């Protein structure tokens, strides 16, 4: 696996991504057994270092680690020594002194996982840093599309919503472009960053044009703070113009699938029926997320164990 | 064919047999064995594929991450006589890993092992119940099976590759 850490999709090449996806497909089978556990990471310690709350991502990493027989420890920023104004780096260094095999970091500020990775012995996975990247989300989205459509090359993927503030959008843009898809973004003008087309995507402020002929429609979560005020006049306005329902889906291909990183604001980004039923594949995304994270944990812990007393390599 | 006969001789209840192949080498062998058992004993023995990579005992020590292979277990394992099938058995560690993996799928009535080639150098107390051929080798040689005419149904030949690359036998 290239690199010690998984901090961004931007750092990965197509070969890395293929390897991760192939490994994830093998891990899916483990999730279908009755005994959903393999001994591969027995005795390894994984730390979830979440400075931003997130039940689903943290739980997904926890289940992934446990299925590999690792010991998983959760550290969230409330009720910890951070209340005593211990700095992020001191927290990370303290945890590192307990010799974890891998640390998973989520923080509201971009770049924090990388800063932590620079300090630690252990490999670091970025579970979301500000509006920058969320690599495992994009990887599980790739996995889902590959399984639904048989391929990623040549597909048209439309990402709809608050592109400017979305780390899921950024990671997915890089991911789908690297794997040969055509990527479009669509949303109200204040939510489409001015220079987004320099990433290699086409930007639309008309949902109809953005969805035209799309194989994959990915709806992003609108944060409540942005629902009123400068970014969009109101929830109703957003839902009416950019919310995805079956009638808007007709602009896309007949067999288009609908995705969302969750949690869904029902009736806003997605209609109620698409949230739970085909062509919405949100629950598959969640299931694939565990297998994908198992793959990443397995691949990144591939370093020989340091024996006690051995000096740093 | 001889191995199919031996299996039938040793197992009264042929309906309870379940061939489980260790990828990749064990797969064509298990399929062949299933065909032979169909001929010899008129029984449809299910064939499963069980990747042992995630159960290897060297993952922690070496940090290696070999590519994973597909596992397909079409039948339940409980109360079956599972016959593990591998092409070459050397240290016995792969068979040990296969047994650990198998136990996570259920509780077999018994486990037996087919090793087409036994090249010796056991490091664990693992025995092969049905051996195709014993081939003494140097531990650092590599042993591979090759179809002599390229076809999967053809005769197999054993190729022993000496340490530094030249073919030996």
């Amino acid at each position: 696996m290239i690199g010690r850490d998984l901090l961004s999709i931007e750092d990965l090449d197509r070969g890395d991504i293929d390897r991760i996806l192939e490994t994830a497909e093998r891990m899916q089978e483990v999730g279908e057994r009755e005994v959903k556990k393999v001994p591969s990471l027995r005795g390894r310690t994984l730390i979830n270092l979440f400075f931003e709350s997130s039940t689903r991502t943290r739980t997904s990493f926890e289940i992934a680690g446990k299925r590999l027989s690792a010991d998983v420890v959760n550290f969230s920023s409330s009720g910890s020594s951070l209340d005593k104004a211990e700095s992020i780096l001191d927290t990370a260094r303290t945890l590192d002194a307990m010799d974890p095999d891998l640390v998973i970091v989520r923080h509201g500020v971009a770049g924090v996982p990388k800063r932590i990775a620079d300090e630690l012995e252990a490999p670091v996975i970025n579970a979301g840093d500000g509006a920058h990247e969320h690599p495992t989300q994009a990887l599980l989205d790739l996995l889902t599309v590959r399984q639904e459509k048989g391929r990623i090359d040549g597909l048209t993927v439309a990402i709809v919503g608050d592109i400017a503030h979305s780390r899921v959008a950024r990671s997915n843009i890089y991911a789908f472009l690297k794997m040969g898809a055509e990527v479009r973004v669509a949303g109200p003008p204040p939510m489409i960053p001015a220079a987004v087309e320099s990433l290699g995507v086409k930007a639309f402020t008309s949902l109809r044009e953005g969805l035209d002929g799309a194989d994959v429609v990915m709806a992003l979560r609108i944060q409540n703070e942005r629902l009123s005020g400068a970014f969009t006049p109101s929830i109703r306005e957003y839902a009416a113009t950019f919310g995805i329902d079956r009638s808007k889906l007709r602009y896309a291909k007949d067999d288009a699938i609908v995705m969302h990183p969750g949690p869904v604001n029902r009736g806003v980004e997605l209609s109620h029926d698409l949230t739970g039923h085909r062509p919405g594949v949100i629950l598959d995304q969640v299931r694939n997320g565990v297998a994908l994270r198992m793959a990443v944990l397995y691949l990144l812990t591939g370093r020989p164990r340091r024996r006690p007393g051995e000096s740093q390599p | 064919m001889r191995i199919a006969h031996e299996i039938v001789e040793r197992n009264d209840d042929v309906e309870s047999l379940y061939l489980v192949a260790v990828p990749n080498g064990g797969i064509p062998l298990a399929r062949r064995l299933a065909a032979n058992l169909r001929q010899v004993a008129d029984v449809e023995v299910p064939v499963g594929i069980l990747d042992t990579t995630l159960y290897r005992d060297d993952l922690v020590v070496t940090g290696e991450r070999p590519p994973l292979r597909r596992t397909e277990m079409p039948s339940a394992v409980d109360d079956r006589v599972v016959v593990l099938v591998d092409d070459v058995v050397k240290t016995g560690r792969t068979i040990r890993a296969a047994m650990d993996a198998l136990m996570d799928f259920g509780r077999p009535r018994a486990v037996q092992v087919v090793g087409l080639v036994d090249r010796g150098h056991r490091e664990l107390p693992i025995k092969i119940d049905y051996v195709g051929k014993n081939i003494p080798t140097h531990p650092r040689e590599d042993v591979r099976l090759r179809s002599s005419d390229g076809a999967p149904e053809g005769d197999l030949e054993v190729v022993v590759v000496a340490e530094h690359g030249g073919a030996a036998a």
Side-chain angles (χ1 to χ4, degrees), chain A residues 19-148:
Chain A
R19 186 165 178 220
I20 294 171
L21 296 182
E22 273 154 30
T23 307
E25 281 171 2
R26 300 289 82 77
M27 295 297 187
Q28 279 175 322
E29 180 271 322
V30 175
E32 287 158 21
R33 302 179 188 180
E34 234 182 85
V35 175
K36 295 171 178 34
K37 206 184 252 292
V38 291
S40 328
L41 259 49
R42 201 172 76 93
R44 304 279 195 166
T45 302
L46 312 175
I47 299 187
N48 272 324
L49 186 51
F50 277 55
F51 296 93
E52 224 183 38
S53 82
S54 144
T55 317
R56 13 167 15 113
T57 304
R58 211 195 62 219
T59 304
S60 184
F61 271 111
E62 188 173 346
I63 291 178
K66 286 176 169 171
R67 287 196 178 162
L68 293 166
S69 300
D71 295 324
V72 182
V73 176
N74 290 316
F75 182 98
S76 63
S77 65
S78 55
S80 76
S81 53
L82 275 166
D83 293 350
K84 302 178 195 131
E86 186 183 15
S87 75
I88 292 167
L89 287 181
D90 279 338
T91 304
R93 286 183 198 120
T94 305
L95 292 176
D96 196 39
M98 297 183 223
D99 214 12
D101 292 277
L102 189 144
V103 180
I104 299 146
V105 181
R106 170 174 282 200
H107 198 285
V109 172
V112 167
K114 171 147 181 33
R115 188 66 187 84
I116 291 178
D118 290 340
E119 280 300 309
L120 300 196
E121 279 289 318
V124 172
I125 294 178
N126 175 10
D129 63 333
H132 176 228
E133 286 229 31
H134 189 359
T136 55
Q137 179 68 44
L139 289 165
L140 76 88
D141 288 337
L142 286 176
L143 178 64
T144 305
V145 170
R146 186 149 102 167
Q147 298 203 313
E148 288 289 330

Side-chain angles (χ1 to χ4, degrees), chain B residues 9 14 23 30 41 62 87 99 103 115 146-147 167:
Chain B
E9 266 167 42
V14 292
T62 65
D87 54 354
M99 277 205 290
M103 296 309 171
R146 193 169 65 194
S147 214

Side-chain angles (χ1 to χ4, degrees), chain B residues 95-165:
Chain B
I95 299 296
R96 194 280 317 158
M99 277 205 290
D100 278 357
L102 194 59
M103 296 309 171
D104 279 350
F105 279 82
R107 188 174 193 273
R109 192 193 297 171
V111 180
Q112 297 167 6
V113 179
V114 167
L116 207 68
V117 172
D118 180 355
R119 58 175 290 202
H121 306 296
R122 248 9 136 251
E123 290 172 5
L124 296 179
I126 297 281
K127 76 174 203 292
I128 311 183
D129 299 284
Y130 313 98
V131 184
K133 202 170 174 62
N134 280 294
I135 298 185
T137 57
H138 185 281
R140 284 199 298 278
E141 284 170 332
D142 191 21
V143 176
R144 292 172 221 153
L145 294 182
R146 193 169 65 194
S147 214
S148 56
D149 57 1
E153 297 307 306
D155 291 336
L156 292 172
E157 65 182 7
V158 181
V159 178
V160 180
V161 179
E163 234 183 298
H164 299 294

Side-chain angles (χ1 to χ4, degrees), chain A residues 206-226:
Chain A
S206 147
L207 182 68
R208 178 184 208 124
E209 286 173 32
L211 291 191
D212 182 38
D215 299 285
V216 176
V217 178
M218 190 180 294
L220 300 175
R221 179 178 173 77
I222 300 289
Q223 280 150 292
N224 291 319
E225 313 86 79
R226 305 195 212 284

Side-chain angles (χ1 to χ4, degrees), chain A residues 19 26 33 40 298 301-302, chain B residues 54-55 63 65 69-70 105:
Chain A
R19 186 165 178 220
R26 300 289 82 77
R33 302 179 188 180
S40 328
Y298 172 72
T301 51
Chain B
L54 292 171
Y55 288 79
R65 291 293 183 257
R69 294 151 172 165
R70 208 172 281 272
F105 279 82

